[in-house]
Amino acid sequence: MPIQPIQLRTEYRDNPLGLDELEPRLFWRLAGKDRSERQSAYRILVSTSLEALAQNIGDCWDSGKTLSGESAHIVYAGAKLQAEGRYYWKVQAWDGEDRASDWSETAFWTMGLLSREAYKGSWIGRKKEPDADMQPSPFLRKAFSAKGKVARATAYATALGLYEFHVNGKKVGDLFAPGFTDYDKRVQVQAYDVTDLLTEGDNAVGAVLGDGWYCGTVGFLGNHVYGERPFFLLQLNLEYADGSKESVVTDASWRTARGPLQYSDMILGETYDAREELTGWDRPGYDDSEWETPDVRSGYNGLLVSMVEPPVRITQTMKPISVRRTEQGTYIYDMGQNMVGWTEVKVRGERGTKITLSHAEMLNPDGTLYLDNLRVAVQQEHYILKGEGEERYEPHFTFHGFRYVELVGYPGEPDLHTIAGKVVHSDTPRTGTLETNDAMVNKLYSNITWGQRGNFLSVPTDCPQRDERLGWTGDAQIFARTASYNMDVSQFFTKFMWDMIDSQQPSGAFTDVAPDAGWIRHKMWNTRLNWFAPDNAGWGDAGVVIPWTLYLMYGDTRILETHYGAMERWVEYLRQTTADLIRPDYANYGDWLSIGADTPNEVLATAYFAYSTKLFSQIAGVLGKLEDEAKYESLFQSIAEAFRKAFVGSDGRIKGETQTVYVLALQFGLLTEELRQLAIGHLTDDIARKGDRLSTGFLGVGYLLPALTDNGRLDVAYGLLTQEEFPSWMYSIKHGATTIWERWDGWTEHNGFQTPTMNSFNHYSLGSVGEWMFRYMGGIEADPARPGFRHAVVRPRPGGRVTSASASYESLYGTIVSEWEKRPDGSFRLRVVVPANATAAVDVPGVRATVDGVAVSGIGDSGDGWAYEGELYGESRFVVGSGEYVFETAPGI
Ligand code: RAM
């Protein structure tokens, strides 16, 4: 059997709807059982007709048999795509021996409306209630008649605010739509196929609106950041069986009313009065004569773009592990996990009874909820019963970060089945797994993934509980590589780059927070301190680091092309605001939340300036812009030289002498060979002096273990990984952490809780060690020359108390596995799986290797999917094609 194309995707997605990308990229994987399976050619057919496609007619595009091994990012190159077009496609592949596969199954995508003029509707909302401080959520509805059988119905919906869309009594779509963008500049539009929900004759559509990021509380910026109240826009396009067309759009003919949602705010929680439910409001035949005429907004100047980010969904339901009755008669539940989302509650009781659900991450020593770290956030729901048997309730436009839930005013005796925790985040499917022989290391990895689940909600937020929850760019860039091992963040970060672009300053500066939520525009930063300035080192650099990460992990060159100019402006901005290539002391966050170490701002900022410049030169190289590549490489060399002159002594000591100055200089390539040797000595001396402990903050921590490992001190890296004394990762785990904490000292035995003004227990930044765990410990590394894991480097590094590890990564080509064990006799076993159409270089720690139990003799090609390249510094190197291989090395090494 030759290879077979499977899992077709368009723009990284399964059958996406409403694209506005005129040259969408196509992806597939290849299934094949033999070793070294590869594709030598493909043929793609695209048609608007399933019948034509079945007859192998690609009337929109027939790529012809194309000699190419590429099976990802194939750019559509057929007839011009039309608004609302539905495009079916399939692909055939040829293997290395030129044997043709069967045609794949058919996939499709649809195009969106493509032009502003195509939106015929108006933005509608409900007038403010004069006396209410917190506004009730508006309900909107429209009854209409479909004059015949509906052959196709597509709804294009969005809101300034949040919306929940309903069609004939059914809720359609996902959570927190349309997502967080800079609403002054753009809003995402969601497309839904609602054909099956409509009937001939009477129908009804409706929406419930939430304030969301548009007009509700955003972080600590207060409310009304973009607008005063929410508005909804709908274009429902109907195609009848007879070919005629009709649209139902939002306009003044809709009806609006308030319903049971007294208020629902991201940061301030929700109150729901079930007595005010509008039963049947989203169905035809409902009497809306008492409802009001909606308020029509005059217009909107931002862009209407097709949804790029993955939808927010409930991905898991958690059961509490215990419940305890307090002296006050309330009940405190422990979910067993610090999680993000909300609680669903079941209740029976008298009409008018009010119950309250309160959420917290930690407990005070007296067992009460620790609420001090929430600042102005109120993680509470109030539910007022209608008293009609069992009632189930979960909130609508709010979310919380919590492990503990307090139930107040509950009628009767609640038990472990009364509540359930709903885990809510951007639905970025899991791509990584990692397990070792060490339970604490496994727990650390689990905590890292929970940090990501808890904080990737439309944008990468810093924390999910207090009044902040903003897209801090420094946090995002340091964690981006870890994030992309854990989950498929291709679309998530593609969208976030638009947020960064929308907030990029005219000067070229990328901001500390994106979307900047009006913060810069409204000059809400403190100019004297440069606090919340637009260009902090390690924050603004996200504008270069994130596209580069998407290139490495997904082989995405379009993201580099699209944002090339913006990245160039950033590097030029940095260049122009330096004196003699040394960045001024203008990086106020520094190595944020480092512990017992103060990295000088100018050292840190100059190092990051060099790093952004170097990445930009590499990006220019990838895009074939050779002049720029040379120009910025030479700028990088000059910055490195200026850095050494200004900050590095001949003894290799770097100004500040913190662990972070050493690791940044080492990892960004700022030192000469001689200085490198000296610097690694100073770094390890500092670690030893601190009792084998770290002192790095957000920026240093991501490079700490890589710097040690790359410079021959794997032993020190493992020592830090498994250090259990404060400050360390394991310290928090020893004290019950189920997520990564914002601060090393969020809670300590000696001081208890840190200052409540900034003490999140769910912040992923210090979890950027996940990158090292995959790249070095697990050993799954990307090769920048053949990115996206077309060619992987598998190089596991056993050490410390970690004697076995199993890592897997779901790449664009399929699953890569690196599973190893170091035995007490020193022998080493490694199982590697490489997906079809990919290859890997495998470095096995040890010599005298065998492959599948057969001793390797001499350098060369085995003819069985692998080639032995020989021994190198105590390692054996193989190059392998797809398939599964078991490598072993002799004992005693
Ligand atoms: C705090 C948050 C965030 C960080 C900024 C500098 O508000 O901890 O993670 O990026 O400060």
Side-chain angles (χ1 to χ4, degrees):
M1 248 296 268
I3 50 173
Q4 179 58 38
I6 54 167
Q7 294 176 27
L8 277 58
R9 295 196 297 161
T10 308
E11 284 295 311
Y12 293 106
R13 288 188 267 167
D14 297 326
N15 301 332
L17 300 181
L19 296 187
D20 52 19
E21 177 54 68
L22 294 174
E23 292 182 345
R25 294 161 296 175
L26 308 178
F27 302 73
W28 58 90
R29 285 187 190 175
L30 294 156
K33 283 201 210 73
D34 294 339
R35 278 190 174 170
S36 292
E37 294 279 26
R38 66 183 182 91
Q39 172 189 293
S40 60
Y42 65 78
R43 182 176 171 205
I44 297 168
L45 298 179
V46 182
S47 174
T48 51
S49 146
L50 269 178
E51 292 71 39
L53 204 68
Q55 292 166 36
N56 298 339
I57 299 171
D59 43 10
C60 295
W61 189 35
D62 181 343
S63 71
K65 182 175 174 183
T66 305
L67 297 182
S68 163
E70 301 299 325
S71 53
H73 300 278
I74 308 298
V75 177
Y76 171 81
K80 188 169 190 292
L81 299 174
Q82 303 298 322
E84 293 211 78
R86 192 180 183 94
Y87 296 90
Y88 297 97
W89 69 283
K90 62 182 185 180
V91 59
Q92 182 176 32
W94 283 262
D95 69 5
E97 288 162 38
D98 204 30
R99 291 178 299 182
S101 74
D102 289 336
W103 282 102
S104 69
E105 289 186 355
T106 298
F108 69 90
W109 78 87
T110 71
M111 297 303 287
L113 294 175
L114 299 187
S115 81
R116 192 59 179 263
E117 296 69 50
Y119 290 87
K120 303 281 182 252
S122 317
W123 294 89
I124 58 171
R126 183 170 177 263
K127 288 202 179 64
K128 267 184 87 172
E129 293 202 358
D131 304 327
D133 199 19
M134 301 279 282
Q135 290 290 313
S137 298
F139 282 61
L140 295 156
R141 69 172 254 116
K142 164 89 185 170
F144 66 96
S145 167
K147 64 176 192 207
K149 190 175 157 19
V150 178
R152 181 180 171 196
T154 312
Y156 302 91
T158 188
L160 296 170
L162 302 175
Y163 72 92
E164 216 186 78
F165 179 44
H166 291 238
V167 178
N168 287 334
K170 290 229 162 55
K171 205 161 105 183
V172 177
D174 300 294
L175 304 165
F176 297 106
F180 188 10
T181 50
D182 181 339
Y183 300 104
D184 289 342
K185 303 225 170 106
R186 76 180 66 221
V187 63
Q188 299 180 105
V189 176
Q190 285 75 35
Y192 308 105
D193 185 339
V194 295
T195 315
D196 294 343
L197 297 178
L198 297 180
T199 53
E200 192 169 338
D202 292 340
N203 292 280
V205 285
V208 189
L209 302 188
D211 293 347
W213 299 277
Y214 181 74
C215 50
T217 313
V218 181
F220 42 68
L221 303 171
N223 61 3
H224 301 171
V225 167
Y226 296 98
E228 200 198 24
R229 63 215 149 89
F231 290 91
F232 180 57
L233 180 72
L234 175 76
Q235 171 90 20
L236 170 59
N237 283 354
L238 307 176
E239 278 175 44
Y240 291 108
D242 68 4
S244 60
K245 292 186 178 176
E246 201 179 357
S247 297
V248 175
V249 302
T250 38
D251 60 22
S253 73
W254 283 53
R255 309 290 288 159
T256 182
R258 61 175 287 168
L261 281 158
Q262 311 294 299
Y263 64 83
S264 189
D265 182 278
M266 295 274 197
I267 301 279
L268 300 178
E270 177 171 307
T271 290
Y272 187 97
D273 188 342
R275 294 170 304 183
E276 293 187 31
E277 276 174 1
L278 306 164
T279 312
W281 71 276
D282 53 0
R283 294 177 186 278
Y286 178 82
D287 178 9
D288 58 17
S289 55
E290 304 272 288
W291 286 35
E292 307 142 29
T293 304
D295 186 26
V296 177
R297 182 188 150 116
S298 60
Y300 171 65
N301 292 328
L303 298 169
L304 297 174
V305 299
S306 163
M307 164 108 155
V308 178
E309 67 180 68
V312 177
R313 292 188 172 128
I314 294 171
T315 62
Q316 203 174 328
T317 297
M318 308 283 288
K319 296 217 157 60
I321 57 169
S322 69
V323 57
R324 171 173 59 84
R325 191 172 195 279
T326 66
E327 274 172 24
Q328 293 72 34
T330 67
Y331 295 84
I332 294 186
Y333 284 89
D334 179 358
M335 304 307 296
Q337 172 66 50
N338 194 8
M339 56 170 281
V340 175
W342 53 71
T343 309
E344 185 194 51
V345 62
K346 285 190 284 193
V347 60
R348 271 171 197 278
E350 263 178 50
R351 187 174 174 83
T353 310
K354 177 170 155 184
I355 60 169
T356 297
L357 293 143
S358 196
H359 302 81
E361 295 186 290
M362 301 287 262
L363 296 178
N364 289 310
D366 66 359
T368 56
L369 295 194
Y370 171 72
L371 300 169
D372 299 355
N373 68 337
L374 299 180
R375 303 198 303 221
V376 311
V378 182
Q379 300 207 99
Q380 277 185 358
E381 274 81 59
H382 305 287
Y383 178 78
I384 301 158
L385 278 69
K386 58 189 166 193
E388 296 166 8
E390 184 179 285
E391 300 176 39
R392 276 176 186 244
Y393 163 72
E394 53 189 306
H396 299 76
F397 303 115
T398 189
F399 67 92
H400 315 304
F402 64 101
R403 170 170 174 169
Y404 302 96
V405 184
E406 183 165 16
L407 193 50
V408 185
Y410 194 82
E413 182 80 19
D415 61 21
L416 290 178
H417 304 286
T418 304
I419 68 162
K422 301 289 175 89
V423 177
V424 176
H425 56 97
S426 290
D427 193 3
T428 48
R430 259 322 257 278
T431 48
T433 64
L434 190 67
E435 211 185 326
T436 71
N437 62 297
D438 190 279
M440 283 181 101
V441 172
N442 296 344
K443 186 69 183 167
L444 173 60
Y445 180 63
S446 163
N447 292 2
I448 292 168
T449 61
W450 275 101
Q452 185 166 347
R453 281 192 201 110
N455 281 295
F456 276 37
L457 197 147
S458 189
V459 299
T461 63
D462 60 325
C463 61
Q465 71 299 86
R466 67 179 178 228
D467 58 341
E468 189 147 353
R469 316 184 195 183
L470 293 170
W472 285 96
T473 52
D475 307 45
Q477 69 87 6
I478 201 69
F479 191 67
R481 191 78 192 274
T482 303
S484 56
Y485 274 105
N486 292 337
M487 299 181 197
D488 176 359
V489 291
S490 51
Q491 293 293 99
F492 182 81
F493 276 128
T494 299
K495 144 69 168 53
F496 188 58
M497 271 315 291
W498 287 115
D499 299 329
M500 293 216 57
I501 295 296
D502 284 347
S503 56
Q504 189 175 23
Q505 299 299 288
S507 62
F510 282 123
T511 54
D512 301 348
V513 167
D516 81 17
W519 169 330
I520 303 281
R521 232 165 304 130
H522 301 145
K523 303 227 181 319
M524 291 170 81
W525 76 91
N526 180 327
T527 37
R528 191 177 59 81
L529 285 174
N530 300 326
W531 197 243
F532 308 148
D535 63 350
N536 269 294
W539 271 253
D541 300 279
V544 181
V545 174
I546 289 174
W548 177 251
T549 305
L550 295 185
Y551 168 75
L552 271 184
M553 297 299 283
Y554 306 108
D556 196 322
T557 50
R558 185 171 282 178
I559 192 106
L560 305 181
E561 282 158 15
T562 308
H563 302 305
Y564 190 78
M567 293 189 273
E568 185 175 21
R569 284 198 296 284
W570 165 246
V571 174
E572 283 302 320
Y573 167 81
L574 294 177
R575 195 174 59 77
Q576 282 154 22
T577 49
T578 61
D580 300 327
L581 299 181
I582 297 300
R583 296 279 294 139
D585 176 5
Y586 188 68
N588 236 331
Y589 310 138
D591 186 24
W592 189 243
L593 301 181
S594 56
I595 186 117
D598 219 356
T599 293
N601 289 339
E602 66 276 24
V603 180
L604 181 127
T606 305
Y608 257 98
F609 170 34
Y611 184 49
S612 264
T613 304
K614 180 178 170 162
L615 289 184
F616 185 65
S617 159
Q618 288 173 7
I619 288 166
V622 168
L623 299 180
K625 297 175 190 288
L626 303 184
E627 254 176 53
D628 280 0
E629 182 187 18
K631 174 176 157 193
Y632 288 99
E633 169 60 25
S634 120
L635 176 59
F636 165 73
Q637 295 300 346
S638 310
I639 304 168
E641 212 181 300
F643 180 92
R644 291 192 295 272
K645 209 167 117 204
F647 306 130
V648 189
S650 55
D651 58 356
R653 288 189 192 279
I654 303 179
K655 185 172 174 189
E657 296 189 45
T658 60
Q659 294 173 17
T660 292
V661 296
Y662 291 111
V663 302
L664 295 186
L666 286 164
Q667 289 314 90
F668 295 169
L670 305 179
L671 303 176
T672 60
E673 181 51 28
E674 197 196 330
L675 291 171
R676 189 180 69 83
Q677 300 288 354
L678 295 167
I680 186 76
H682 296 312
L683 170 62
T684 49
D685 283 353
D686 185 77
I687 294 168
R689 250 196 323 274
K690 292 193 157 63
D692 300 324
R693 282 172 242 179
L694 48 73
S695 67
T696 47
F698 280 23
L699 298 183
V701 70
Y703 302 101
L704 180 60
L705 304 198
L708 290 163
T709 312
D710 288 346
N711 292 285
R713 297 310 305 268
L714 181 66
D715 56 327
V716 182
Y718 269 107
L720 290 175
L721 179 75
T722 53
Q723 170 63 266
E724 294 180 19
E725 296 308 315
F726 172 79
S728 67
W729 288 286
M730 297 311 176
Y731 183 79
S732 68
I733 290 173
K734 241 176 36 188
H735 293 287
T738 59
T739 35
I740 300 292
W741 296 350
E742 177 174 22
R743 324 173 72 119
W744 296 113
D745 58 355
W747 183 90
T748 56
E749 281 153 305
H750 45 284
N751 277 338
F753 287 116
Q754 243 284 10
T755 168
T757 55
M758 215 187 78
N759 199 17
S760 144
F761 290 96
N762 198 353
H763 236 75
Y764 53 66
S765 301
L766 299 178
S768 59
V769 64
E771 172 181 342
W772 179 88
M773 294 168 92
F774 269 101
R775 291 175 55 202
Y776 294 78
M777 184 176 75
I780 300 179
E781 174 64 300
D783 178 352
R786 274 165 291 173
F789 295 93
R790 184 80 200 281
H791 181 72
V793 178
V794 178
R795 191 183 181 197
R797 273 122 161 154
R801 63 192 209 207
V802 178
T803 54
S804 71
S806 173
S808 77
Y809 174 69
E810 192 76 13
S811 74
L812 286 180
Y813 301 91
T815 314
I816 301 168
V817 176
S818 166
E819 187 183 283
W820 59 261
E821 186 193 349
K822 175 133 188 174
R823 305 195 185 100
D825 66 5
S827 65
F828 186 82
R829 181 182 190 275
L830 168 67
R831 188 174 79 91
V832 172
V833 179
V834 177
N837 211 28
T839 55
V842 182
D843 290 342
V844 185
V847 294
R848 281 182 282 140
T850 63
V851 184
D852 303 335
V854 179
V856 172
S857 62
I859 294 172
D861 198 333
S862 69
D864 191 25
W866 54 269
Y868 180 51
E869 292 206 328
E871 287 161 16
L872 203 74
Y873 313 116
E875 289 185 349
S876 304
R877 165 162 276 214
F878 299 83
V879 173
V880 303
S882 69
E884 179 174 347
Y885 306 84
V886 175
F887 304 91
E888 290 193 67
T889 64
I893 294 154

